[in-house]
Amino acid sequence: MTQSLDQALAGFSPGLPFVVALSGGADSTALLCACAARWPGQVRAVHVHHGLQAAADGFEAHCRQLCVQLNVPLTVCHVDARSAPGQSPEDAARQARYVALADVVKSDWPDAKAIALAQHADDQVETLLIALSRGSGLPGLAAMPAHWQRLGLQWHRPLLQVAGADVRQWLRDRGQIWVEDPSNSDVQFTRNRIRAQVLPALAQALPAFRDTFARSAAHAAQAQQLLDEVAAEMLEQMGLRPTIAALRALSPARQALVLRHWLKSQHQVTPSTAQLQELQAQLADCTTRGHRLHLKVGNGFVRREDDVLTWQPD
């Protein structure tokens, strides 16, 4: 069930000290204020300056002022978050932000145990709806995890059960200002259209949608965890370079499961549905040792080397 911000923080147990990713918006401002009050002297902040809009300098100024007010050490890092061809601006900024956060924590605060991000219940619903709109499988429908490991650090989202409106009301009750990102009202972005048009309609038609959607995402995450465990066991039996004969002996569903897990766990590549289907079709045609296999997947190619599959970057 959705919680108040104070209830969410009461159940949050990060390793100390830890870092809060501070954008300057309402959500991260509230998270930093609440964490600094709960763990005085144990919280640091990192602000990532993307340089993508004129308001970026104003966000940095707010973060600096807030951290002086809270007596929280702050590091500001500048990144190039421009998107590559075919990459969405949102994804480019997100990936640049994660790498920058991890780099700063490791260099400036190597004693920090974790990084806390401020996504809340509305963000979780938006992520799930975007995944549905794209026809995503279980990994997408699992939406955002509350805790995970990445780039050698522990990451947390302690506000995933707090509604966005409640976060802002928490700030108003304390007279705390924040900065509004002007891009949040730009409906060319799918997430903003969902926030402005879909969530209000859901609130009228399905008042408990935040709780029920979160439950569905949790079920998807649990199912995906089980599939990952099964795939890891199967891949271990085959070898980290799966043999073509072993793959061809599997049912189509198990074959797809192992191929996805192999590419993601060994090469950090996620094939599209079309790429995976083509890879399986080519495997079905591998009836002789001389049959060549060469298929673009992610930023590299799946190839056949003798009796096994390999993936090599382009």
Side-chain angles (χ1 to χ4, degrees):
M1 293 180 63
T2 52
Q3 301 175 325
S4 69
L5 189 146
D6 292 325
Q7 287 173 327
L9 264 291
F12 178 39
S13 300
L16 300 176
F18 69 100
V19 171
V20 171
L22 179 64
S23 71
D27 309 326
S28 64
T29 295
L31 179 61
L32 181 64
C33 290
C35 288
R38 187 172 180 83
W39 294 284
Q42 297 292 329
V43 180
R44 293 86 171 93
V46 175
H47 174 69
V48 179
H49 189 302
H50 297 97
L52 295 175
Q53 52 181 309
D57 290 340
F59 275 92
E60 179 183 336
H62 167 76
C63 292
R64 291 190 182 280
Q65 182 179 4
L66 177 64
C67 288
V68 169
Q69 169 192 330
L70 298 175
N71 194 29
V72 169
L74 169 70
T75 294
V76 175
C77 60
H78 293 248
V79 301
D80 181 357
R82 289 173 295 182
S83 56
Q87 184 182 30
S88 75
E90 291 172 293
D91 183 59
R94 181 170 55 253
Q95 296 301 328
R97 185 164 58 248
Y98 280 133
V99 172
L101 284 168
D103 288 346
V104 167
V105 170
K106 291 174 182 178
S107 62
D108 289 19
W109 296 301
D111 60 333
K113 310 298 183 185
I115 299 177
L117 306 177
Q119 286 96 350
H120 49 63
D122 291 23
D123 296 318
Q124 184 75 311
V125 171
E126 292 162 11
T127 299
L128 176 59
L129 291 174
I130 289 171
L132 283 168
S133 73
R134 293 173 176 170
S136 298
L138 284 176
L141 301 183
M144 296 184 291
H147 171 242
W148 74 106
Q149 298 182 41
R150 182 177 183 175
L151 300 172
L153 292 166
Q154 302 290 325
W155 301 72
H156 299 270
R157 293 189 177 102
L159 304 185
L160 280 185
Q161 292 182 286
V162 184
D166 293 341
V167 172
R168 284 163 173 72
Q169 189 58 53
W170 187 92
L171 289 169
R172 294 189 193 99
D173 291 344
R174 288 154 180 80
Q176 179 62 59
I177 63 171
W178 66 89
V179 182
E180 284 290 353
D181 187 338
S183 69
N184 285 341
S185 59
D186 188 345
V187 293
Q188 71 170 314
F189 297 116
T190 302
R191 186 175 291 274
N192 290 346
R193 292 198 300 275
I194 291 173
R195 185 177 304 141
Q197 302 168 14
V198 179
L199 296 194
L202 280 172
Q204 284 193 327
L206 304 167
F209 74 94
R210 291 180 182 86
D211 294 334
T212 55
F213 282 28
R215 244 188 347 262
S216 291
H219 291 323
Q222 186 178 52
Q224 185 59 51
Q225 182 180 357
L226 175 60
L227 289 175
D228 286 342
E229 292 173 1
V230 172
E233 292 172 358
M234 295 172 65
L235 186 59
E236 185 177 359
Q237 294 173 359
M238 292 184 186
L240 297 184
R241 297 203 305 170
T243 65
I244 291 172
L247 286 168
R248 283 172 50 85
L250 299 175
S251 68
R254 284 177 174 263
Q255 188 184 85
L257 179 66
V258 171
L259 288 169
R260 280 198 195 95
H261 185 77
W262 167 62
L263 288 165
K264 183 177 181 181
S265 64
Q266 300 301 313
H267 304 292
Q268 292 74 56
V269 171
T270 301
S272 68
T273 299
Q275 288 173 337
L276 187 63
Q277 289 175 344
E278 178 60 25
L279 178 54
Q280 289 186 272
Q282 292 198 25
L283 279 173
D285 291 336
C286 284
T287 55
T288 65
R289 292 181 61 85
H291 188 279
R292 183 173 177 267
L293 192 153
H294 183 84
L295 178 67
K296 177 75 171 177
V297 178
N299 61 340
F301 291 87
V302 174
R303 293 184 171 92
R304 175 178 184 170
E305 288 187 4
D306 296 326
D307 295 327
V308 300
L309 288 187
T310 65
W311 181 90
Q312 297 175 351
D314 186 4

